Amino acid sequence: MKPYKIITLMTILCLFASQVVAVSVTFTSNPLGAIVNNSARRLGTTPFTSTILPGTYSFTALKDGFQTATQQIVFNLFPQTRIVTFTLQVIPPQSPQLQQVSSPPQISCVDLICVVNETFQTTTFAAITIPVLVGATQVFVDTTLSFNVSDIVMIHQTQAGTEELAGRYEFNTIKQIINNTFVFENPLKKEYLVSSSDHAQIVKVWQFDSLDIKSGGVITASAWDGTKGGILVLSAGLLNVQSNGKIDMNAKGFLGGDSSSPGGYGDGGESFSGKGTASPSANNGGGGGGHPTIGGWSSSSDSYGAQYKAGGGAGAGYTTQGENGGPGGIGIPSIGGGVYGIDDLTQNMFFGSGGGAPGWSGNRGGRGGGIILIKGNKLTVDGTIESKGGTGSPATSSPQAGGAG
């Protein structure tokens, strides 16, 4: 009988170990109504109950008007039920700060009349780090550097899964800056998504009573880096761009595709839905990647057969269809980026998409053009305002893929 009992006990233990046992956790807060997140994933609004597997977790509780509360908690197999309580502290009143009066060193102002004689590039952007709900007044960002209380800013959903979700934007005014949190004067009217493929950002609006861009003067913004940048917003009662003066956002938008090793497809260009993959198909607005070389590998020359040239990547689309890429030795072209965006820019604004990479290592498709938004009463242009797509790298004799403007 003893061996039988031992076998039975071992069987019971094995069966018990094979069960996935979760802990029932009730989340509450003082006051109630806080949003609880685990990393960037929203769990619920207090009070609520959720089942969580044993392990170590970091939680944050967010509520408008209160400081963010954070707890790191270890959940063991027992006890089977837990209560997690967040005590939220009211955001203390902040002494009013004067809006920054001094202009950047590249812009000289006398009696509210500002002049640009050289290149001024704004780098005042902040990537949103936690999803934002409609009605929120607090937004968590990666940096608040160079932003000031009373700044007017643009909130922009630069990338999202669909054309309807991407490109949304609105304006608001910074009421307070607390660590890496902006507190806005007005509740936000739109939701902003944040994930590995969804990106939203905060953009400073540069304000002038009068702005005169002289010959040789240039205003631009830093390029899109995958989380922020690529947008220039100017507000001026009077804006004059003189001959040889320029507002320039050429090739500051979505990235062109990157090339793989010889023998592989180039990556498609980046678009509003995210980066492209190694494929000849279009990535929404991003041009498809060039076809690979198919000649045999030569160990003596350390290359593929030269008679099979790699295909050029396809051009990107925006409000018009991108051109197909060169077919290369295989005779099949990559597909040009598709049409997206409309003439009415009051609800959505997009970058130009990137061109596809050629099927040859070390080369890229062209970047898309960035966004220029000008608000004002009078605009005079004898110089140029441009946001064109960039030119990509050629693949042997095949044409290069440009970005979309």
Side-chain angles (χ1 to χ4, degrees):
M1 294 297 291
K2 289 182 179 180
Y4 176 77
K5 290 181 178 179
I6 293 172
I7 293 172
T8 301
L9 179 60
M10 291 178 63
T11 303
I12 292 172
L13 289 173
C14 289
L15 288 173
F16 180 77
S18 67
Q19 302 299 312
V20 178
V21 181
V23 180
S24 177
V25 182
T26 298
F27 292 90
T28 186
S29 65
N30 182 21
L32 299 175
I35 298 172
V36 177
N37 294 312
N38 172 28
S39 297
R41 187 170 70 91
R42 178 175 173 175
L43 299 180
T45 302
T46 59
F48 68 96
T49 300
S50 181
T51 54
I52 296 179
L53 295 175
T56 301
Y57 297 86
S58 180
F59 301 100
T60 57
L62 318 173
K63 184 176 175 66
D64 285 344
F66 295 83
Q67 297 180 20
T68 302
T70 302
Q71 290 193 46
Q72 184 165 327
I73 302 174
V74 178
F75 294 110
N76 297 314
L77 190 59
F78 298 102
Q80 283 287 288
T81 59
R82 293 281 299 273
I83 297 176
V84 176
T85 302
F86 293 92
T87 301
L88 304 179
Q89 303 295 326
V90 175
I91 295 175
Q94 191 176 52
S95 300
Q97 298 182 21
L98 294 176
Q99 186 174 8
Q100 186 179 18
V101 176
S102 60
S103 59
Q106 300 89 345
I107 301 177
S108 58
C109 296
V110 178
D111 295 332
L112 301 180
I113 300 174
C114 300
V115 176
V116 181
N117 288 301
E118 53 185 309
T119 297
F120 165 61
Q121 175 173 286
T122 174
T123 59
T124 311
F125 302 96
I128 297 176
T129 56
I130 294 179
V132 181
L133 299 178
V134 174
T137 56
Q138 293 184 59
V139 175
F140 298 85
V141 293
D142 65 337
T143 180
T144 58
L145 185 65
S146 298
F147 288 92
N148 299 279
V149 169
S150 299
D151 276 351
I152 296 175
V153 296
M154 177 190 196
I155 304 98
H156 187 261
Q157 182 76 60
T158 310
Q159 286 183 319
T162 67
E163 184 178 343
E164 292 72 26
L165 294 174
R168 295 174 296 178
Y169 71 95
E170 62 187 285
F171 295 92
N172 216 314
T173 302
I174 298 175
K175 181 179 180 180
Q176 288 180 298
I177 300 175
I178 304 171
N179 298 323
N180 276 18
T181 304
F182 290 130
V183 181
F184 291 126
E185 287 189 356
N186 304 300
L188 294 177
K189 299 176 181 179
K190 301 179 181 181
E191 179 182 12
Y192 295 93
L193 308 176
V194 177
S195 69
S196 59
S197 57
D198 301 323
H199 298 99
Q201 60 174 314
I202 308 291
V203 182
K204 179 183 174 74
V205 177
W206 290 93
Q207 301 179 76
F208 308 93
D209 281 357
S210 175
L211 180 62
D212 190 8
I213 304 176
K214 300 285 190 180
S215 176
V218 179
I219 292 185
T220 185
S222 55
W224 168 252
D225 66 3
T227 61
K228 58 188 177 183
I231 301 176
L232 176 64
V233 187
L234 300 174
S235 177
L238 300 174
L239 176 58
N240 179 30
V241 185
Q242 295 192 13
S243 177
N244 295 319
K246 192 171 187 180
I247 297 175
D248 181 4
M249 288 298 289
N250 291 333
K252 297 295 182 79
F254 290 131
L255 291 164
D258 198 2
S259 292
S260 61
S261 59
Y265 286 105
D267 286 345
E270 187 180 23
S271 190
F272 62 82
S273 56
K275 292 184 178 180
T277 58
S279 168
S281 300
N283 173 35
N284 289 309
H291 284 271
T293 56
I294 58 174
W297 183 265
S298 170
S299 58
S300 60
S301 61
D302 196 30
S303 65
Y304 280 85
Q307 70 272 28
Y308 297 101
K309 299 185 183 298
Y318 183 13
T319 53
T320 56
Q321 178 76 31
E323 295 184 2
N324 289 346
I330 196 171
I332 302 175
S334 49
I335 306 303
V339 176
Y340 64 100
I342 58 177
D343 292 337
D344 181 3
L345 302 178
T346 59
Q347 299 297 320
N348 299 70
M349 275 192 281
F350 302 90
F351 294 156
S353 292
W360 189 260
S361 62
N363 296 323
R364 296 199 70 113
R367 269 184 176 268
I371 290 173
I372 299 173
L373 176 59
I374 299 173
K375 302 173 68 176
N377 298 324
K378 183 178 180 180
L379 173 64
T380 304
V381 181
D382 292 317
T384 56
I385 299 177
E386 288 186 340
S387 182
K388 298 178 180 178
T391 301
S393 306
T396 59
S397 62
S398 296
Q400 59 266 48

